[in-house]
Amino acid sequence: KAINTRNADILVSAAAGSGKTAVLVERIMGIITDEKRPVDIDNLLIVTFTSAAAAEMRERIGKALAAIAEKENNEHILRQLTLVNYADITTIHSFCMKVVRENYTKLNIDHDFRIADENECGLIKAAVLEELFERRYGGENNESFLSLVETFGESLGDSKLKDIVLDIHGFIQSMPFPEKYLKESAEKYNFDISAPFDETMWGIYIKEKSLFEINEYIKCTDTALNIAVENGPESYAKALTADLIGLNELRSAIEKDFDSAYDKISSFKFVNIGRVGKDDDKKIAETIKAMREIVKKGISSLEENFFFTDIQYQKEDVYKTGSLIKELADIVTEFSDMYSKAKRERNTADFNDLEHFALKILIDDNENGFKPSKEALQLQKKYYEVMTDEYQDSNPVQEMILLSVSGRGKNENNRFMVGDVKQSIYRFRQAEPGLFMEKYNTYKSEGEKQRIDLFKNFRSRKEVLDSINFLFRQIMFYRTGEMEYSKEAWLYPGGDYPESEDMAVEIDVIEKKNQTENEELDDI
């Protein structure tokens, strides 16, 4: 189905070891060798995550075409063998570079600009930031800036604030329109202070986060209580029963409103756990105490982070923060402008620039919103299908770029996206797995927007997969990993391996605690 379905936006959720690359190659081969409507391979846009993956894809397609050419003298296949070397099998940055090189006149840049490496970009940023801060220190009416420095300053001066400016600037580059996103984010602090705090974005977050944590602490306490009831010590069971009553009351208070939660957590007390009897198992007792300590630290953390003062003070505190956030947003915006100017003076760009340059070429902004430019429409008509590998690691600006060149100029559905959100590890680079999950949760099994699951693993034995499924059922939930490790997400054996009697799975847990050179780690 993933190979043969046409004329639809398709999300392939491909589990580890499911052969997604083979499926992608077969789909490409099926499109370019279709007997009714063969498509030239240079009319496909195939976006991979790395240059190495692109080279491997090109090589595999070339070998598949060569194998066909050896068996039959087909003019179309021979043509594809030539075109495969020029086809758009590429990374997103290489594709953006191609768009920019072909349309640089639409931008205020020279055609021979170069990409600066990370070290050079770092030096330019540092110089720009130093100049910006000196200008702010010496400027008139700079009370807001000085207040910001004082708020985020420490013994090292303003270095922490500079790091924050760089972090925010780096983060917003993954957004299609960074300055617009930054301005809208800062505006969220300009809220109605008379409104109930529970209805603000901060109140909602505090409630959701607190309820999630308190539910985990209740589960932990309940488990510890069951152990104590079954194995002792008896005094531990009494204390844990009291803990459980108090935690449930705290949960009810959080569900009610902020004031109730603040009053309850301020007066929350853990009773004395008592002593271990001579007949009690000391290892079990230590385990229970350790579990209880996790809960105690968790409640203290909730109080310190969220319920450290009353609701009115918190509302006023957030509201006052608004002026600082606006100043911070203004500084980041000015830094972004100065950094862009400094790069233009050196005739350089960075990888983020490539994406935003391409977006400026491919998107037109008018009073009715954003729409594909004439350059984007030309590419739409060129590409029969737009394919994305490792889709779980895309970010919003990359998504808009690929959307702008999809649709064949007729708003048709012609995107093919393959990936596995469980393997998304690049959020620190601003990857947004939510793009994958939104489609995963809304695409259907049929129609113009389809989801196809490749859940069989051909790489590993059943015993290995069973152990993986067992572990991730315990730790992967929506609140901790943005998806449930349900039966749809399990890995299922697809390979045929010889049977063996000794197939136990060994799990090694390495405790990375502070160890002296003379200490030995216990085997676990």
Side-chain angles (χ1 to χ4, degrees):
K1 188 176 181 181
I3 291 168
N4 297 321
T5 303
R6 301 285 185 270
N7 301 316
D9 284 346
I10 299 169
L11 177 74
V12 177
S13 180
S18 61
K20 70 179 179 66
T21 305
V23 167
L24 191 53
V25 171
E26 284 298 317
R27 180 176 179 85
I28 294 165
M29 291 300 299
I31 291 172
I32 63 180
T33 61
D34 190 295
E35 293 181 359
K36 295 181 179 179
R37 191 193 183 286
V39 175
D40 285 338
I41 191 166
D42 63 344
N43 291 137
L44 299 176
L45 174 58
I46 305 161
V47 177
T48 62
F49 193 66
T50 63
S51 298
E56 181 190 356
M57 183 74 66
R58 195 184 303 274
E59 182 181 3
R60 290 177 74 156
I61 295 169
K63 286 182 178 179
L65 287 168
I68 298 174
E70 283 183 8
K71 296 178 182 178
E72 55 182 276
N73 185 19
N74 185 307
E75 185 177 335
H76 176 71
I77 296 299
L78 293 173
R79 174 177 162 80
Q80 303 315 303
L81 272 170
T82 302
L83 291 175
V84 71
N85 296 313
Y86 307 99
D88 288 327
I89 306 171
T90 179
T91 64
I92 187 68
H93 290 128
S94 294
F95 173 69
C96 290
M97 176 68 87
K98 179 180 178 180
V99 170
V100 174
R101 293 291 190 200
E102 293 176 353
N103 302 277
Y104 72 92
T105 55
K106 198 174 179 180
L107 304 166
N108 184 26
I109 60 172
D110 292 331
H111 72 283
D112 60 344
F113 74 92
R114 63 181 177 82
I115 300 298
D117 63 31
E118 193 171 328
N119 290 332
E120 184 178 359
C121 289
L123 291 172
I124 298 172
K125 287 177 182 177
V128 168
L129 204 54
E130 194 66 32
E131 181 185 345
L132 171 59
F133 271 56
E134 284 184 13
R135 185 188 302 174
R136 290 272 177 159
Y137 279 122
E140 297 180 358
N141 301 318
N142 62 352
E143 291 82 5
S144 295
F145 172 73
L146 295 177
S147 179
L148 192 66
V149 173
E150 184 179 352
T151 301
F152 290 104
E154 69 293 299
S155 57
L156 297 177
D158 56 18
S159 60
K160 185 177 180 181
L161 178 58
K162 289 177 179 177
D163 289 340
I164 291 171
V165 171
L166 291 174
D167 287 344
I168 295 174
H169 174 264
F171 173 77
I172 64 174
Q173 298 313 304
S174 67
M175 301 299 166
F177 309 102
E179 287 76 20
K180 181 173 180 286
Y181 172 84
L182 186 61
K183 184 178 180 181
E184 290 175 350
S185 298
E187 278 296 317
K188 291 177 181 177
Y189 285 81
N190 187 24
F191 66 98
D192 182 5
I193 197 169
S194 64
F197 189 66
D198 302 65
E199 297 176 7
T200 66
M201 59 181 288
W202 298 275
I204 292 169
Y205 173 80
I206 289 172
K207 186 172 185 177
E208 289 181 352
K209 176 76 171 173
S210 301
L211 284 174
F212 173 76
E213 291 194 17
I214 198 71
N215 283 328
E216 293 304 308
Y217 301 143
I218 288 172
K219 288 178 189 176
C220 185
T221 303
D222 190 51
T223 301
L225 176 59
N226 289 333
I227 295 172
V229 168
E230 187 173 341
N231 303 284
E234 185 178 343
S235 63
Y236 282 24
K238 291 179 180 178
L240 290 165
T241 299
D243 291 350
L244 205 55
I245 292 171
L247 290 169
N248 277 292
E249 289 175 349
L250 178 56
R251 177 170 62 183
S252 298
I254 294 171
E255 287 173 340
K256 186 179 180 183
D257 54 46
F258 190 97
D259 282 330
S260 299
Y262 171 67
D263 292 340
K264 186 65 184 176
I265 204 167
S266 300
S267 59
F268 195 93
K269 301 290 183 185
F270 286 91
V271 300
N272 192 305
I273 198 168
R275 295 187 177 184
V276 180
K278 63 179 181 179
D279 296 327
D280 291 323
D281 189 316
K282 289 182 173 56
K283 284 189 175 181
I284 290 178
E286 286 301 315
T287 298
I288 294 172
K289 284 179 71 175
M291 294 172 73
R292 192 177 192 241
E293 194 60 30
I294 289 172
V295 175
K296 290 172 73 173
K297 287 181 178 178
I299 297 302
S300 294
S301 177
L302 276 179
E303 184 174 11
E304 290 171 9
N305 291 330
F306 299 138
F307 302 103
F308 52 88
T309 187
D310 62 67
I311 188 170
Q312 189 58 35
Y313 183 90
Q314 290 227 37
K315 276 207 300 187
E316 292 173 358
D317 199 36
V318 172
Y319 189 76
K320 290 174 183 176
T321 305
S323 60
L324 293 176
I325 295 298
K326 184 180 182 303
E327 178 69 14
L328 181 58
D330 288 344
I331 291 172
V332 174
T333 300
E334 188 173 356
F335 168 79
S336 183
D337 292 340
M338 292 174 64
Y339 178 49
S340 295
K341 182 181 178 182
K343 285 181 290 183
R344 282 198 303 272
E345 290 172 350
R346 293 166 175 80
N347 201 25
T348 61
D350 58 28
F351 285 113
N352 289 323
D353 289 326
L354 285 181
E355 293 179 351
H356 288 283
F357 286 165
L359 200 62
K360 286 179 181 178
I361 292 166
L362 298 172
I363 293 291
D364 283 342
D365 181 10
N366 59 28
E367 58 188 18
N368 297 319
F370 304 100
K371 67 175 185 177
S373 66
K374 68 179 190 305
E375 291 84 4
L377 290 173
Q378 289 173 354
L379 290 173
Q380 283 190 22
K381 292 171 183 176
K382 174 185 177 181
Y383 295 129
Y384 172 79
E385 188 159 287
V386 176
M387 299 177 165
T388 312
D389 192 14
E390 304 294 359
Y391 180 66
Q392 76 276 358
D393 292 318
S394 296
N395 66 37
V397 68
Q398 294 165 358
E399 174 77 351
M400 182 167 276
I401 289 169
L402 295 177
L403 272 174
S404 72
V405 298
S406 305
R408 300 176 186 152
K410 308 171 188 175
N411 292 321
E412 294 179 355
N413 301 97
N414 70 329
R415 294 190 70 190
F416 184 83
M417 300 150 283
V418 59
D420 180 14
V421 76
K422 298 187 298 299
Q423 298 184 59
S424 180
I425 60 171
Y426 289 103
R427 201 156 207 165
F428 69 96
R429 292 183 185 171
Q430 279 73 60
E432 180 44 78
L435 295 169
F436 186 103
M437 289 307 302
E438 187 274 330
K439 293 177 176 63
Y440 183 89
N441 292 323
T442 57
Y443 280 24
K444 308 299 181 184
S445 58
E446 301 293 338
E448 294 181 344
K449 296 182 182 294
Q450 295 187 30
R451 185 185 109 197
I452 301 171
D453 294 334
L454 301 182
F455 51 79
K456 284 193 175 181
N457 176 293
F458 297 91
R459 187 183 295 158
S460 306
R461 288 178 172 273
K462 178 180 183 298
E463 292 81 4
V464 174
L465 301 180
D466 286 347
S467 67
I468 290 169
N469 288 333
F470 172 79
L471 280 174
F472 279 91
R473 281 201 302 270
Q474 322 302 317
I475 63 176
M476 189 175 282
F477 304 98
Y478 178 78
R479 283 301 302 267
T480 54
E482 297 184 47
M483 73 170 294
E484 296 288 334
Y485 200 75
S486 60
K487 289 186 177 181
E488 291 180 332
W490 291 2
L491 298 172
Y492 293 88
D496 185 17
Y497 294 95
E499 290 188 8
S500 175
E501 293 182 2
D502 185 19
M503 279 291 113
V505 174
E506 177 183 310
I507 297 174
D508 295 329
V509 181
I510 302 171
E511 277 199 294
K512 297 178 70 175
K513 293 181 178 178
N514 293 330
Q515 303 286 331
T516 65
E517 291 184 4
N518 295 325
E519 280 183 308
E520 292 184 3
L521 285 170
D522 294 330
D523 290 333
I524 298 178

